[in-house]
Amino acid sequence: MKFSERMAAVEAVLFACGEPIELEKLAAAAEIEKEAAERMVERLNERYAEQGSAVVIGKLGDSYQMMTRPEY
């Protein structure tokens, strides 16, 4: 699986989950290492910021959740 496909899988899991998901579970769902999952979350947040998206991936302890930016 290509990097872009794995990143899309991370994004899809975060979107579908709807609530915080632990990094370990996120990585397992996307079939990647935890460090790779963290890098992909960072890249997704960079992409969202560049596009002026209303969406952000927030870190809540050891978990991540897709949410709207606080200003919205």
Side-chain angles (χ1 to χ4, degrees):
M1 190 183 307
K2 296 180 195 176
F3 180 85
S4 61
E5 292 171 332
R6 288 187 298 248
M7 192 160 62
V10 167
E11 186 176 35
V13 169
L14 287 164
F15 179 80
C17 194
E19 56 187 51
I21 182 170
E22 294 176 0
L23 178 61
E24 188 172 323
K25 290 181 181 179
L26 177 60
E31 300 178 350
I32 57 176
E33 298 293 322
K34 290 189 326 183
E35 296 78 15
E38 283 182 304
R39 286 193 308 272
M40 290 177 187
V41 167
E42 289 172 10
R43 286 225 179 138
L44 285 166
N45 271 330
E46 289 170 4
R47 182 188 302 166
Y48 298 153
E50 288 171 3
Q51 296 173 348
S53 176
V55 175
V56 65
I57 300 169
K59 185 170 183 179
L60 308 163
D62 292 332
S63 299
Y64 291 93
Q65 182 176 14
M66 188 174 278
M67 57 186 76
T68 56
R69 292 192 181 277
E71 59 266 28
Y72 297 113

